[in-house]
Structures are given as structure tokens and as C-alpha cells.
Amino acid sequence: MHRFLYGTLITALFIFAAPAASLAVGADKVPSCAAMDRPCLMRQIQALTPGIEQSEWRDQTYRELAKTYAYEGQTDKAIDLLSLISKPDTKAMTIRGIGMAAASLKWPANKYNSLFAKLTAEAAKITDAAANGIALTYIAMAQAFAGDDNGARKTAAAMTNAALRN
């Protein structure tokens, strides 16, 4: 169900964002994709997103693309998009989206340990204290949803904001 919803959302983003972005980067430089070719569409969205002029829209598109990559099990590609997001709150929401999408995949514990370590390292790069705390909260939530209660408690215990930690 989540894959369908995110696939639909990405397709909608592509339909609305692609025309504006293609003007900036040139439509002839981006190959066309069949409507159901998700990997191609995702590559196309990633290629067109830098051309979105409004930073908030660009950040939101990267966030949704990262979540879609995560639902596809491509969490490293999802994490790579974090560096392209300018707004700290959107980075925190992207970390949440990646973690929650991965939690739904029912992976073995060792694969989650690696993912959550990477997400925690990305959260540490967020210099805005509030957004950093929110990112850590979302990592702990995703750990709990993935069945890693001990990891969730450890992540929460490391947080400095008592309200978010509790």
C-alpha cells in the first residue's frame, strides 16, 4: 500500500515539477520513460530536481524521492539525497521517511543496524538543534517500528532535549 501511495506521489511530483524543471535543464537532456518504469522515472526526477527554482519545492521533491528510494530498498541512494536538501527541518523529515520506509521492509537486524548508524551520522550533520533533536526522535521511532527497541532506547537516551527524549 505504501509503495503504491509513494509511487503515485512521485508520479504526481514528476508531472507537476518536470515541466518547470525541464525548461531549466533542457528537456532534450533527460531521456523519456515509460509511465510504469519506476527506476527510470526516479532517475529522471533526480536529474530534473536541481532545476526547480523554489528551494522549498526542490527540498520537498528530494525528500519524496529519498522516501521512494528507501521503499525500494535503496537506502544508500536515499541517504545521498540528504546532502542536497537545504532546510534542516526537511532533512529531519527525510531521515524520518527513510527510516520508516525501511522499517516496513522487515529486514534482518544487522541491515537495520547499518542503516540507523548512517541515519544517526546524517542527523549529527544537522546544526540546527531543534531539527537535530527531531531527526534523532524520528530515528528512534523508526528503530522501534523495525523491532529494535534497544536501539530506539539508546538513540533516545543520547538526545539532549528532555522533552523529545521522553
Side-chain angles (χ1 to χ4, degrees):
M1 179 72 170
H2 285 102
R3 286 185 180 183
F4 173 76
L5 293 174
Y6 282 106
T8 303
L9 180 59
I10 287 297
T11 303
L13 282 171
F14 178 73
I15 290 169
F16 294 113
S22 67
L23 294 174
V25 297
D28 59 329
K29 296 178 183 177
V30 180
S32 63
C33 299
M36 299 307 290
D37 187 352
R38 289 172 54 90
C40 181
L41 289 171
M42 291 163 62
R43 285 190 305 273
Q44 200 171 50
I45 291 167
Q46 190 166 352
L48 293 172
T49 301
I52 298 173
E53 292 180 16
Q54 294 86 354
S55 64
E56 187 172 338
W57 293 1
R58 187 173 48 253
D59 282 357
Q60 290 170 358
T61 303
Y62 281 131
R63 179 191 67 213
E64 297 307 317
L65 183 58
K67 291 177 354 185
T68 303
Y69 274 129
Y71 273 113
E72 294 294 318
Q74 300 179 47
T75 54
D76 286 339
K77 283 186 178 180
I79 291 169
D80 288 345
L81 294 176
L82 287 166
S83 66
L84 302 175
I85 297 172
S86 61
K87 189 174 177 188
D89 290 343
T90 307
K91 278 188 184 194
M93 292 301 294
T94 305
I95 287 171
R96 177 196 186 277
I98 294 168
M100 294 301 281
S104 73
L105 298 177
K106 307 301 180 204
W107 286 343
N110 64 335
K111 195 166 182 178
Y112 281 120
N113 292 340
S114 172
L115 170 64
F116 292 129
K118 290 176 185 177
L119 290 177
T120 301
E122 290 298 321
K125 295 177 186 176
I126 299 174
T127 57
D128 180 79
N132 175 272
I134 290 168
L136 291 173
T137 301
Y138 288 144
I139 292 168
M141 282 176 45
Q143 287 172 304
F145 276 95
D148 182 9
D149 293 337
N150 288 333
R153 280 191 287 276
K154 183 178 177 183
T155 299
M159 296 170 57
T160 57
N161 184 315
L164 291 175
R165 180 177 58 246
N166 294 329

